Amino acid sequence: MTSTTTPVRRAARTGRTVRRVRVLRAGGLSLRVDLRAAAVVVLLLLAALAAGVLLIGTGDFPIPAGDVLRAVAGGGNRGQQFVVRELRLPRVLVGLLVGACLGLGGAVFQAVSRNPLGSPDVLGLSQGATAGALVVIVVFSGSAAAVTLGALAGGLVTGLALHLLAWRQGVHGYRLVLVGIGVSAVVTAVDGYLVTQADFVDAARAVVWMTGSLNGRDWTQVRPLLVLCAVLVPVVLAHGPGLRMTEMGDDVSHALGVRVERTRLVLMASAVLLTSAATAAAGPVGFVALTAPQLARRLTRSPGPNLVPSLCTGAALLVTADWVSQRAFGADQLPVGVVTGVLGGVHLLRLLVTERRAGRA
């Protein structure tokens, strides 16, 4: 295998910068690797794992990082093993997987809509998954597995409605965002109605779940997320090159051999399922899907959907927010959805101001 490094120049408003791209060749195959993006992915993975270890060691029974790693590997005393492997590790794994699902789903929808506001939060998909889960909780008093199925069904129905309402010789840009805002308002009203019709116990359970929280998460939430991620993440990444080509326009994409509508449909369905699964596991954790792709793009300084960096950014962001929710407010532990909502709301306001100044909103 041989490798060469070539500079790729791209224009920027402040001047011209040089991007370092390594081309790996083996036989007749070649692979271009953006060195900065690869470094960002590695650093984000390390940050996510470090935050996870720190979070596992945090609590009423603090555990040093070294003992956490030993307990995860099967060492340490029985008390540490129980606290780490049965109580805290599942919560951290759910946080990592939920953040990864939301980051990847947000990157897909922002790329499909070609709009930084095109995230599952804004388009109503999270609210649709919430409505499906609330029907199971309020009407049927269902189990955790039933809530997961309800969230998936609600997300799929909302995604189908969004696609049909936004379709006009294709799904494009601001039409998708505007339709999504309307769908979000309708589904949010349905969510509120379902809560008002529940009895006291189910309503309290629903309100806690709707806040977005990782409290009490165990292995029953980890396993379905792992299975869905194992199936859907490779599907999304495999369609990544086609998604990047669609950003050049449908005509150019067709000329390059991309089946545009098929690619969009597969990617949107996968992103809906990822978002719905994340909502089922942790509730509607707000603004991670909106913020993670934007942060990933700024870190990599790379155009395109940035699928893998967005996935890693979402995982690191949610686990870090969960640590903040536990430790930054003393004895008062906030649901992680409150922290991400505050941070994401500030980011959304900044994004709206930026879009307005650019004349796009």
Side-chain angles (χ1 to χ4, degrees), residues 51-310:
V53 171
L54 182 63
L55 184 58
I56 291 174
T58 299
D60 295 333
F61 182 66
I63 303 175
D67 292 339
V68 168
L69 295 176
R70 278 190 289 272
V72 170
N77 59 57
R78 291 184 178 180
Q80 289 179 342
Q81 286 188 15
F82 175 77
V83 171
V84 170
R85 303 180 71 173
E86 298 300 326
L87 299 182
R88 298 179 183 174
L89 180 60
R91 174 185 179 132
V92 171
L93 290 177
V94 170
L96 290 171
L97 291 171
V98 167
C101 290
L102 293 176
L104 185 58
V108 168
F109 274 106
Q110 289 181 20
V112 168
S113 65
R114 303 172 195 170
N115 191 316
L117 296 176
S119 78
D121 310 279
V122 178
L123 299 179
L125 296 170
S126 298
Q127 293 84 344
T130 301
L134 285 178
V135 169
V136 175
I137 293 173
V138 173
V139 178
F140 301 105
S141 299
S143 63
V147 170
T148 300
L149 293 176
L152 292 175
L156 285 174
V157 170
T158 306
L160 179 61
L162 179 64
H163 188 271
L164 293 176
L165 291 172
W167 176 269
R168 183 183 297 173
Q169 297 180 345
V171 177
H172 303 287
Y174 276 92
R175 188 190 311 133
L176 181 65
V177 174
L178 292 175
V179 171
I181 292 173
V183 170
S184 175
V186 172
V187 179
T188 299
V190 173
D191 293 345
Y193 172 78
L194 289 171
V195 173
T196 61
Q197 298 303 304
D199 59 39
F200 180 79
V201 175
D202 286 339
R205 178 186 174 195
V207 169
V208 171
W209 184 84
M210 288 175 63
T211 306
S213 175
L214 296 175
N215 291 334
R217 297 304 180 262
D218 55 29
W219 292 105
T220 59
Q221 283 87 28
V222 174
R223 296 185 185 95
L225 275 175
L226 276 175
V227 172
L228 282 171
C229 287
V231 173
L232 295 175
V233 171
V235 171
V236 173
L237 297 183
H239 287 78
L243 178 62
R244 184 163 187 170
M245 289 182 185
T246 60
E247 295 185 335
M248 297 185 292
D250 290 359
D251 294 337
V252 175
S253 301
H254 280 299
L256 293 173
V258 179
R259 302 171 71 176
V260 176
E261 292 306 325
R262 178 182 179 276
T263 298
R264 283 182 181 146
L265 185 60
V266 171
L267 286 169
M268 289 179 66
S270 300
V272 167
L273 288 173
L274 287 170
T275 303
S276 301
T279 303
V285 180
F287 292 105
V288 174
L290 174 71
T291 307
Q294 299 298 315
L295 292 178
R297 182 172 289 110
R298 282 165 175 76
L299 290 172
T300 61
R301 298 178 185 173
S302 175
N306 285 287
L307 297 178
V308 176
S310 298

Side-chain angles (χ1 to χ4, degrees), residues 280-359:
V285 180
F287 292 105
V288 174
L290 174 71
T291 307
Q294 299 298 315
L295 292 178
R297 182 172 289 110
R298 282 165 175 76
L299 290 172
T300 61
R301 298 178 185 173
S302 175
N306 285 287
L307 297 178
V308 176
S310 298
L311 182 152
C312 298
T313 303
L317 184 63
L318 188 55
V319 174
T320 302
D322 192 34
W323 181 85
V324 172
S325 70
Q326 290 191 54
R327 306 305 301 172
F329 300 94
D332 299 324
Q333 294 187 10
L334 295 178
V336 67
V338 175
V339 177
T340 60
V342 171
L343 298 177
V346 173
H347 174 73
L348 177 60
L349 290 175
R350 187 197 63 79
L351 188 60
L352 288 172
V353 171
T354 301
E355 291 290 293
R356 180 179 180 183
R357 289 177 177 174

